[in-house]
């Protein structure tokens, strides 16, 4: 580990969510929070402690969790619903579709334990399909924040925005990238580091890995643009096209299946507008497994090292293309 | 006690509803006839007797709320909304047409008087539960009503919700079950038995009423009694006849998801006494 990374600060995305909920709950009496027996893990327990009358634990019953949230939203409440990502988006997907997304109910789906960094619990509790499942729903917005400060801003945004939105938090603490002054804009990608040779579009924990990869590449004379693509839907179509024009090579990085996630979303835009050499870094049609987060990230290639190699590969593709 | 005169008036509304349901379904050419006709008296009792609502102001803050969890009975729902004055009766003839406010299954965004969107079975009770919790949070005196199908009660989500509505002591919630005994593939007892039905609801902590679902006096009495229950939600299990009111549609499961032909419509209207 480099000296720089050993000095990194870490801050939990789910902790940031719990703190923000409490803050919002003090300002807005219409905010209610529901959980399905995982409030200690999702950190909605912080809201439950301060506002027991506005917190509803629905037990181990995710379908009813979503339906009840929809009924509360139909009655004018701003409803935050939380459980693990795999249960929130998978177990109750059709309830989200019928009761929330289709009638545009004001329900905020905020998961914890997204991706494989759930760790030792293994595949049953890991979520590698949630972006795909939520992205396909009409009316649904999808955001995967890159650090805890972004979580705060996204959750505040969600509370003031009317309609359904999915926000993914994680079990592990994320390296801190931003601060309290961070500004979140739905539908906008943020260039965190500019470069001319290739662009990495990343979301979630892969944003910090991408920045790390960019530093390594810089030392080898490769100049890479890194974009925080936290807003997966709507997605910043203009920035994707512009980056293809500016850099001519694209990498996507996500702690999610490359089928249906960020890689797919970017490929859809490029395919229709600017076919460009591209590599998708993510989980390649596999389920997760048990292990420490660090081991799992390595096993699935979700590392700065793999991003460095992928950048070199995509530059080769770009080179072949220029020659042709 | 409801007067005879009120019961008589409700009966007239029920007859009008059946006429409209049959006409709109025949015009639409698709839709659910049997399960719409079985729910008529339940809807009439709610909209013309029990519920406080204001068709001129569908979003009136002090209204009681209704959820049609068995969303496929939309023709009956739309018919009672039109008769109440939420939109013109003529609109019923646009059922299921592109651009109409009357979709195949209830969609809250387009139809005045429709609170939530249903059609995928098993989800309406959860939403009604959420609405009842909201009513408690806002310290309102309003009530929430929901009509469920008996076949729908095969969905696990119904029982998740049954558990939570009792847990949260939602005595402002009253569920009516259209117990017509059939589902699309045949009789419920053959496809997937739900009995002992009343016992199940009792075991989940609900106050249970059992009525003849076509007897307006029994339904209205049960609705009045349910309102007095404290500390738990109520369920009225209403024994009904699928396709009620037309001899050749009653208990004829072909009419679960199909509509009468023009000839069948004429025959049916004559039998109901549409001209009288």
């Amino acid at each position: 580990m480099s000296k720089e990374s050993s000095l990194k600060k870490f801050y939990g995305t789910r902790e940031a969510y719990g703190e923000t909920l409490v803050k919002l709950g003090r300002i807005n009496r219409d905010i209610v929070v529901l959980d399905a027996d995982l409030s200690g893990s999702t950190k909605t327990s912080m809201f439950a402690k301060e506002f027991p009358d506005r917190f509803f634990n629905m037990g181990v019953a995710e379908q009813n969790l979503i339906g009840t949230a929809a009924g509360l939203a139909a009655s004018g409440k701003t409803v935050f619903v939380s459980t693990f990502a795999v249960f929130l988006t998978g177990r109750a997907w059709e309830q989200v579709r019928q009761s929330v997304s289709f009638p545009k109910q004001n329900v905020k789906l905020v998961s914890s334990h997204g991706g494989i960094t759930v760790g030792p619990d293994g595949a049953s509790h890991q979520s590698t399909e949630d972006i795909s499942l939520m992205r396909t729903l009409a009316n649904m917005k999808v955001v995967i924040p890159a650090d805890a400060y972004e979580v705060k801003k996204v959750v505040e945004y969600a509370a003031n925005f009317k309609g359904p939105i999915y926000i993914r938090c994680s079990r592990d603490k994320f390296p801190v990238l931003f601060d309290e002054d961070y500004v979140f804009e739905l539908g906008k990608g943020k260039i965190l580091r500019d470069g001319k040779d290739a662009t990495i579009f990343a979301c979630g924990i892969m944003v910090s890995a991408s920045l790390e990869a960019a530093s390594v590449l810089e030392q080898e004379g490769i100049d890479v643009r890194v974009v925080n693509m936290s807003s997966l839907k709507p997605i910043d179509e203009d920035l994707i096209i512009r980056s293809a024009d500016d850099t001519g090579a694209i990498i996507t990085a996500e702690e999610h299946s490359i089928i249906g996630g960020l890689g797919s979303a970017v490929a859809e835009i490029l395919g229709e507008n600017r076919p460009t050499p591209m590599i998708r870094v993510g989980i390649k049609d596999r389920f997760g497994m048990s292990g420490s987060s660090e081991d799992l990230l390595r096993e699935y290639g979700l590392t700065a090292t793999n991003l460095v190699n992928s950048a070199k590969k995509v530059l080769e593709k770009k080179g072949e293309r220029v020659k042709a | 006690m409801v007067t005879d005169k009120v019961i008589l008036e409700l009966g007239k509304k029920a007859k009008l509803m059946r006429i409209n349901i049959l006409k709109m379904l025949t015009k639409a050419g698709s839709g659910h006839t049997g399960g719409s006709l079985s729910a008529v008296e339940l809807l009439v009792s709610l909209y013309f007797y029990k519920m406080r609502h204001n068709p001129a102001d569908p979003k009136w803050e002090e209204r009681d709320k209704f959820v049609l969890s068995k969303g496929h009975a939309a023709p009956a729902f739309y018919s009672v909304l039109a008769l109440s004055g939420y939109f013109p009766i003529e609109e019923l003839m646009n059922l299921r047409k592109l651009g109409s406010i009357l979709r195949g299954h209830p969609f809250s965004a387009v139809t005045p008087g429709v609170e939530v969107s249903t059609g995928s079975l098993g989800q309406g009770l959860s939403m009604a539960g959420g609405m009842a919790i909201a009513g408690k949070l806002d310290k309102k005196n309003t009530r929430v009503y929901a009509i469920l199908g008996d076949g729908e009660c095969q969905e696990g989500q119904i029982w998740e919700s049954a558990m939570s509505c009792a847990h949260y002591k939602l005595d402002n919630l009253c569920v009516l079950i259209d117990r017509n005994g059939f589902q699309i593939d045949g009789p419920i007892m053959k496809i997937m038995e739900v009995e002992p039905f009343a016992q199940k609801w009792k075991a989940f902590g609900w106050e249970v009423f059992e009525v003849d679902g076509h007897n307006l006096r029994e339904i209205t009495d049960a609705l009045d009694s349910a309102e007095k229950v404290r500390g738990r939600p109520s369920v009225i299990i209403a024994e009904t006849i699928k396709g009620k009111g037309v001899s050749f549609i009653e208990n004829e499961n072909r009419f679960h998801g199909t509509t009468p032909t023009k000839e069948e419509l004429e025959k049916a209207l004559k039998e109901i006494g549409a001209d009288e």
Side-chain angles (χ1 to χ4, degrees), chain A:
Chain A
M1 207 174 258
S2 69
K3 201 174 174 188
E4 194 185 341
S5 62
S6 66
L7 290 173
K8 262 189 234 163
K9 277 191 191 140
F10 288 84
Y11 186 177
T13 53
R14 50 185 172 136
E15 282 80 5
Y17 169 52
E19 291 159 15
T20 310
L21 267 186
V22 172
K23 190 176 139 196
L24 290 167
R26 287 176 190 151
I27 311 165
N28 185 349
R29 298 287 306 164
D30 278 331
I31 289 180
V32 296
V33 178
L34 278 69
D35 204 301
D37 198 38
L38 286 168
S39 64
S41 296
T42 63
K43 302 300 173 195
T44 59
S45 53
M46 296 164 82
F47 184 93
K49 200 175 164 198
E50 184 154 340
F51 307 105
D53 297 345
R54 285 190 275 147
F55 174 79
F56 299 91
N57 201 325
M58 304 312 289
V60 192
E62 291 78 13
Q63 305 179 79
N64 185 49
L65 170 79
I66 298 298
T68 307
L72 279 155
S75 310
K77 302 295 174 194
T78 301
V79 191
F80 281 84
V81 187
S82 295
T83 179
F84 286 5
V86 65
F87 309 133
L88 189 62
T89 65
R91 181 60 169 262
W93 184 83
E94 203 256 339
Q95 281 71 20
V96 172
R97 178 183 185 273
Q98 169 75 36
S99 298
V100 173
S101 176
F102 173 43
K104 274 197 195 178
Q105 296 292 11
N106 199 21
V107 173
K108 321 300 169 187
L109 305 163
V110 186
S111 68
S112 71
H113 292 58
I116 53 168
T117 49
V118 172
D121 274 350
S124 60
H125 286 59
Q126 295 165 350
S127 180
T128 51
E129 308 88 359
D130 50 328
I131 302 174
S132 178
L133 286 169
M134 292 295 105
R135 201 166 71 87
T136 193
L137 291 172
N139 299 333
M140 184 62 76
K141 316 286 184 219
V142 180
V143 182
I144 316 288
D147 86 341
Y149 288 101
E150 186 169 32
V151 168
K152 292 182 181 199
K153 300 297 172 167
V154 174
V155 171
E156 280 170 18
Y157 178 90
N160 294 310
F161 152 89
K162 270 245 181 287
I165 184 167
Y166 172 65
I167 302 164
R168 183 211 259 195
C169 297
S170 296
R171 175 174 178 264
D172 278 7
K173 290 183 163 56
F174 278 16
V176 169
L177 298 172
F178 313 121
D179 57 27
E180 294 286 357
D181 296 331
Y182 182 80
V183 179
F184 169 76
E185 283 176 279
L186 188 72
K188 291 283 174 206
K190 277 215 160 59
I191 299 175
L192 301 182
R193 181 191 195 287
D194 211 355
K196 60 178 186 347
D197 297 329
T199 304
I200 307 178
F201 290 106
C203 65
I205 199 169
M206 295 309 288
V207 174
S208 49
S210 299
L211 287 167
E212 225 175 290
S215 308
V216 174
L217 287 162
E218 190 184 20
Q219 289 160 21
E220 300 184 30
I222 300 168
D223 187 20
V224 171
R225 173 182 289 178
V226 176
V227 178
N228 175 18
M229 219 54 168
S230 52
S231 177
L232 281 110
K233 191 186 172 192
I235 199 159
D236 196 339
E237 201 169 323
D238 290 345
L239 184 56
I240 294 171
I241 294 170
R242 188 148 49 86
S243 296
D245 288 343
D246 291 348
T247 68
I250 305 291
I251 299 139
T252 57
E254 60 194 311
E255 190 194 351
H256 184 275
S257 171
I258 55 166
I259 301 170
L262 173 64
S264 296
V266 171
E268 286 158 15
I269 306 295
L270 291 176
E272 281 188 348
N273 298 281
R274 296 285 192 285
T276 304
M278 176 179 184
I279 287 180
R280 291 172 295 161
V281 172
I283 296 163
K284 305 212 162 137
D285 205 16
R286 291 169 70 189
F287 281 103
M289 48 187 165
S290 290
S292 71
S293 295
E294 218 179 318
D295 286 347
L296 285 167
L297 289 170
R298 223 175 3 250
E299 168 68 26
Y300 290 87
L302 305 180
T303 56
T305 312
N306 188 35
L307 282 166
V308 166
N309 295 337
S310 300
K312 289 176 186 168
K313 264 188 228 156
V314 83
L315 286 175
E316 274 174 37
K317 281 198 197 186
K318 179 181 164 183
E320 283 163 19
R321 194 177 200 206
V322 171
K323 267 186 247 159

Side-chain angles (χ1 to χ4, degrees), chain B residues 160-232:
Chain B
E160 291 184 4
S161 178
M163 208 182 322
S164 72
C165 292
H167 177 82
Y168 284 109
K169 301 182 169 55
L170 302 179
D171 50 17
N172 54 345
L173 172 67
C174 178
V175 166
L176 299 93
I177 300 181
D178 181 358
R179 179 86 174 99
N180 63 35
F182 282 92
Q183 56 194 111
I184 194 162
D185 267 0
I188 285 175
M189 60 192 302
K190 280 196 181 163
I191 305 298
M192 185 53 65
E193 183 59 283
V194 296
E195 289 291 347
F197 204 42
Q199 285 94 315
K200 283 192 175 79
W201 289 95
K202 276 179 199 151
F204 274 79
W206 290 57
E207 185 77 19
V208 180
F209 301 88
E210 292 177 87
V211 302
D212 171 346
H214 301 301
N215 185 319
L216 291 160
R217 185 171 295 286
E218 284 190 26
I219 300 166
T220 48
D221 281 353
L223 286 168
D224 286 345
S225 303
E227 199 161 12
K228 295 185 189 100
V229 174
R230 291 288 171 272
R232 64 188 143 203

Side-chain angles (χ1 to χ4, degrees), chain B residues 238-249:
Chain B
E239 287 290 334
T240 58
I241 292 165
K242 196 155 179 175
K244 173 71 178 176
V246 182
S247 59
F248 60 91
I249 299 179

